[in-house]
Amino acid sequence: MPHFELDQSQPRTRGNLLASLGFILLSAVLIVLPPAAQEQVAGVLRGTVLAPFLVLQGSIQQARVRSVEMTELQHELDAALAALAGQRPLREENDRLRELLGLADRAPPGFRSASVIRAGTRGSESMFLLDAGSEDGVAINDPVVSGAGLVGLVREVGQRSAVAMDWTHPDFGVGAMTLGGEAFGLVEPRHGMFREEDRLLLNGVPYHTELEEGMAVVTSGRGGVYPRGILIGTVAELAEAEAGWRRAYWVEPAVRPAAANHILVMTGEVEASAPEGLRLWVEPSTPDTIVEGLQYLDPGGPE
């Protein structure tokens, strides 16, 4: 290991020694000066030699303060966004409740309100529980509706609860007709790859009858299970046609089952034949002649 040797390439000069002695002497003089004189000297130094350093220090301090303030503002913004996100489902639920209450106010006696409880287990996607049962007047095959239209049908009933299916269930089927009485048929579910892609199909429309997009489709009352006049959905587009025989149309559902948290059960006390039943869901602008005329239409044929 080599020995440590002083670097003799830059020997000390007399100027360096004098500068060091000068700083020492200046420090000694400043120490013995009165406080007032020291403050004057310090002020001169801050305004000349130390000015750039003080400006830089101030900029660093301001940047640090801004960083802390930005962090606090970000936390406040995140908290506000979280609060708004939590209020959106509550606001949507309140809107549905108002819609449901509005329907209950207009509906005749016999509608029973209930909350929907989803099991969330595999294979039960098309079934749901209701917190109302036989003690509330609910019975098997009672239609389940919301303010927007038809949801499904009650399948099992207990004293204080019931099991119902929505329109996505494979066993679902309902006799239907257009609001203007142009066509009658059977509405059945058709499943997509995802729940959001599930649709309804209006089948059995006569081939010579062409339906326009946006036409309202309501229950026809055939079979005695679903009263006439419950809104099912609107015509979307032609699905298929057999020349000279029939047509089938896709129907956009009026109610998505996942959005139905609060519903009404139409018990046996409800007399929902047209025009009273239809008036619960059709637009107020619909002429009375159309609504009242539907009670005289005969769907004909078997269920």
Side-chain angles (χ1 to χ4, degrees):
M1 181 177 181
H3 296 286
F4 175 77
E5 296 181 358
L6 294 175
D7 186 6
Q8 302 296 333
S9 61
Q10 296 182 354
R12 295 181 179 178
T13 62
R14 186 177 180 180
N16 292 337
L17 181 59
L18 292 176
S20 300
L21 292 175
F23 281 114
I24 294 174
L25 180 61
L26 180 61
S27 300
V29 172
L30 292 175
I31 291 174
V32 298
L33 286 176
Q38 290 182 359
E39 292 179 359
Q40 291 179 356
V41 174
V44 172
L45 291 176
R46 285 195 297 268
T48 56
V49 179
L50 298 179
F53 300 97
L54 294 176
V55 173
L56 179 60
Q57 180 65 24
S59 300
I60 295 174
Q61 182 63 24
Q62 291 180 0
R64 185 180 295 111
V65 171
R66 292 193 185 98
S67 176
V68 173
E69 291 178 349
M70 285 296 296
T71 303
E72 294 177 352
L73 288 175
Q74 185 64 45
H75 290 164
E76 293 178 359
L77 178 60
D78 293 341
L81 291 176
L84 289 175
Q87 289 178 0
R88 174 177 293 180
L90 181 61
R91 185 169 58 252
E92 293 176 351
E93 184 173 350
N94 287 337
D95 292 340
R96 287 193 292 268
L97 282 173
R98 291 192 187 98
E99 185 181 41
L100 197 61
L101 289 173
L103 176 62
D105 291 340
R106 302 194 310 271
F111 282 75
R112 297 291 182 269
S113 62
S115 296
V116 173
I117 305 171
R118 295 281 177 179
T121 56
R122 189 176 183 85
S124 64
E125 294 85 357
S126 299
M127 307 293 292
F128 56 91
L129 302 176
L130 302 176
D131 60 355
S134 58
E135 293 183 354
D136 304 293
V138 177
I140 296 176
N141 291 335
D142 281 348
V144 178
V145 300
S146 72
L150 181 63
V151 178
L153 186 73
V154 175
R155 296 292 298 269
E156 300 177 14
V157 177
Q159 289 186 349
R160 297 182 179 179
S161 63
V163 179
M165 69 176 185
D166 57 46
W167 57 260
T168 64
H169 196 279
D171 294 340
F172 177 83
V174 56
M177 64 182 180
T178 56
L179 182 59
E182 294 86 355
F184 290 83
L186 181 66
V187 169
E188 301 171 323
R190 292 293 185 270
H191 297 285
M193 295 183 62
F194 304 97
R195 292 279 292 176
E196 293 78 6
E197 296 181 353
D198 292 347
R199 292 192 288 181
L200 292 169
L201 183 71
L202 174 59
N203 209 346
V205 177
Y207 182 78
H208 63 274
T209 303
E210 296 185 6
L211 304 182
E212 298 180 0
E213 180 180 350
M215 296 181 67
V217 179
V218 299
T219 55
S220 63
R222 295 171 58 182
V225 175
Y226 298 94
R228 178 180 293 191
I230 306 174
L231 182 63
I232 301 173
T234 55
V235 175
E237 59 182 349
L238 180 67
E240 58 184 8
E242 294 183 10
W245 177 242
R246 67 173 183 88
R247 293 177 185 266
Y249 290 87
W250 290 117
V251 174
E252 181 63 28
V255 180
R256 286 290 173 180
N261 297 322
H262 303 279
I263 53 85
L264 292 176
V265 180
M266 301 177 66
T267 66
E269 303 175 13
V270 176
E271 294 292 339
S273 60
E276 291 80 6
L278 285 170
R279 272 303 179 194
L280 298 178
W281 288 280
V282 300
E283 295 292 336
S285 58
T286 305
D288 292 336
T289 54
I290 293 179
V291 179
E292 294 174 358
L294 289 178
Q295 62 183 321
Y296 303 110
L297 293 176
D298 181 14
E303 174 66 23

